[in-house]
Amino acid sequence: MKLKLKNVFLAYFLVSIAGLLYALVQLAEQLRQKDLRISQLQADLRRPPPAPAQPPEPEALPTIYVVTPTYARLVQKAELVRLSQTLSLVPRLHWLLVEDAEGPTPLVSGLLAASGLLFTHLAVLTPKAQRLREGEPGWVRPRGVEQRNRALDWLRSRGGAVAGEKDPPPPGTRGVVYFADDDNTYSRELFEEMRWTRGVSVWPVGLVGGLRFEGPRVQDGRVVGFHTAWEPNRPFPLDMAGFAVSLPLLLAKPNARFDATAPRGHLESSLLSHLVDPKDLEPRAANCTRVLVWHTRTEKPKTKQEEQLQRQGRGSDPAVEV
């Protein structure tokens, strides 16, 4: 009996020793793995961080040609300063500023020279028959038609530049053309959205048409209709700020122009109908779910006190440019 108990204790002792040795081996392996991981982390900390992905060189980007009609009024300089400072944030951009005037004015010439932008200065006077008459609301007649068409003429090598870059883009230039009025508000993101336009790209415009926004409706990446309240059956119920056109497409369609005789609200359609079918429009801005441009308007300044002082011969110094 004593011998059997001794054998049992011996067997128990040997099994315990074996279990202990196994546990020690496992612990040692865990410690080794932990030391290896610490060594790897220390090596990672000593290794210099990877270089960030470099954006394309500006020379590799298609040029954005921004066409802006402008006319003389008290807030003209304020509007153009605001727009020029937005445009200055955008690489590879060429500003085509077109005055509604017989020739360049000192105010606009000085502003362009000080802007630091690559620009072309153009000027053409709107015919008297197309001008708004006293008391007419702005929507009665299309505005900026002659000025936008003069910019198209320059892009098509028909001359007309009065200052800045006078040579039009050479054949084969990659670019996109955008019609940016001087009183709108633009996110700089918008310009990168349009830069790689292949035909005609589109997006929503905020605070226009009596709506919070209007623009294309997109399904499965294709334009299937338009969110608009006023005359939705127009061929292209888009705001001027809501599309861009590739430069090669414009140059390939020399008869595509804005029609000064187009019915109210059809000015955009008068150009786009020569360029693209609605089903081939290219939605941008997250499938037209983001607003990156707003149809804002500056309130007309009240100058009754200025007029009163002028009658007294004490008006503001006209030599101070506003």
Side-chain angles (χ1 to χ4, degrees):
M1 184 68 180
K2 290 183 179 180
L3 182 60
K4 287 184 179 181
L5 287 175
K6 182 177 181 181
N7 290 339
V8 169
F9 285 126
L10 180 61
Y12 179 79
F13 175 75
L14 292 175
V15 169
S16 299
I17 291 295
L20 181 59
L21 290 174
Y22 178 78
L24 290 174
V25 169
Q26 291 297 313
L27 179 60
E29 178 62 20
Q30 291 177 6
L31 292 173
R32 189 185 73 82
Q33 292 292 337
K34 185 176 181 181
D35 289 342
L36 180 61
R37 181 59 181 157
I38 292 173
S39 298
Q40 290 174 342
L41 291 173
Q42 290 174 337
D44 290 341
L45 289 173
R46 290 192 295 268
R47 188 179 300 120
Q54 295 297 316
E57 291 295 326
E59 294 76 13
L61 297 173
T63 301
I64 300 174
Y65 294 91
V66 176
V67 175
T68 301
T70 187
Y71 64 99
R73 63 215 192 265
L74 194 55
V75 297
Q76 182 184 29
K77 184 175 181 180
E79 303 278 33
L80 291 176
V81 165
R82 180 177 61 181
L83 177 56
S84 69
Q85 292 183 358
T86 298
L87 299 182
S88 69
L89 302 173
V90 183
R92 198 77 170 167
L93 183 143
H94 188 142
W95 196 15
L96 308 183
L97 189 56
V98 195
E99 291 196 69
D100 187 351
E102 293 181 345
T105 62
L107 184 151
V108 174
S109 296
L111 185 143
L112 284 170
S115 70
L117 292 163
L118 175 62
F119 70 88
T120 295
H121 191 178
L122 303 150
V124 58
L125 189 65
T126 298
K128 187 175 181 180
Q130 297 176 20
R131 288 184 169 274
L132 284 174
R133 295 180 176 85
E134 187 70 29
E136 282 186 333
W139 48 262
V140 170
R141 304 172 192 273
R143 291 177 292 176
V145 178
E146 295 295 321
Q147 291 70 40
R148 296 184 187 97
N149 284 337
R150 176 56 59 91
L152 293 178
D153 287 341
W154 180 83
L155 288 167
R156 291 165 172 153
S157 303
R158 296 172 187 166
V162 296
E165 178 58 55
K166 296 187 177 182
D167 293 328
T173 298
R174 295 186 306 154
V176 60
V177 180
Y178 181 53
F179 301 96
D181 290 350
D182 61 6
D183 55 352
N184 289 343
T185 301
Y186 306 89
S187 166
R188 67 177 181 177
E189 286 183 75
L190 176 68
F191 299 95
E192 299 311 320
E193 290 283 336
M194 73 177 69
R195 190 182 295 278
W196 300 96
T197 299
R198 299 182 301 275
V200 177
S201 56
V202 291
W203 46 81
V205 177
L207 311 179
V208 68
L211 301 173
R212 290 176 56 245
F213 70 91
E214 67 175 19
R217 291 189 293 106
V218 177
Q219 182 176 328
D220 298 327
R222 299 180 69 88
V223 174
V224 296
F226 298 89
H227 174 63
T228 184
W230 187 80
E231 208 172 316
N233 293 325
R234 288 173 288 161
F236 293 89
L238 294 167
D239 185 77
M240 191 69 68
F243 68 91
V245 183
S246 75
L247 177 63
L249 176 60
L250 267 178
L251 299 182
K253 304 283 187 178
N255 294 323
R257 299 171 65 80
F258 292 100
D259 182 2
T261 65
R264 175 190 171 194
H266 288 249
L267 186 61
E268 295 84 354
S269 297
S270 71
L271 173 76
L272 293 174
S273 295
H274 292 281
L275 298 172
V276 68
D277 190 280
K279 67 180 177 58
D280 295 323
L281 294 170
E282 303 165 26
R284 294 287 194 271
N287 277 330
C288 297
T289 61
R290 298 185 64 208
V291 173
L292 300 173
V293 54
W294 296 263
H295 198 279
T296 50
R297 292 182 179 176
T298 301
E299 182 182 12
K300 186 177 180 180
K302 297 176 176 62
T303 57
K304 288 184 178 180
Q305 282 71 25
E306 179 70 40
E307 294 164 4
Q308 182 178 349
L309 288 180
Q310 286 179 353
R311 288 193 293 270
Q312 299 171 9
R314 299 189 298 120
S316 301
D317 185 351
V320 176
E321 189 178 85
V322 178

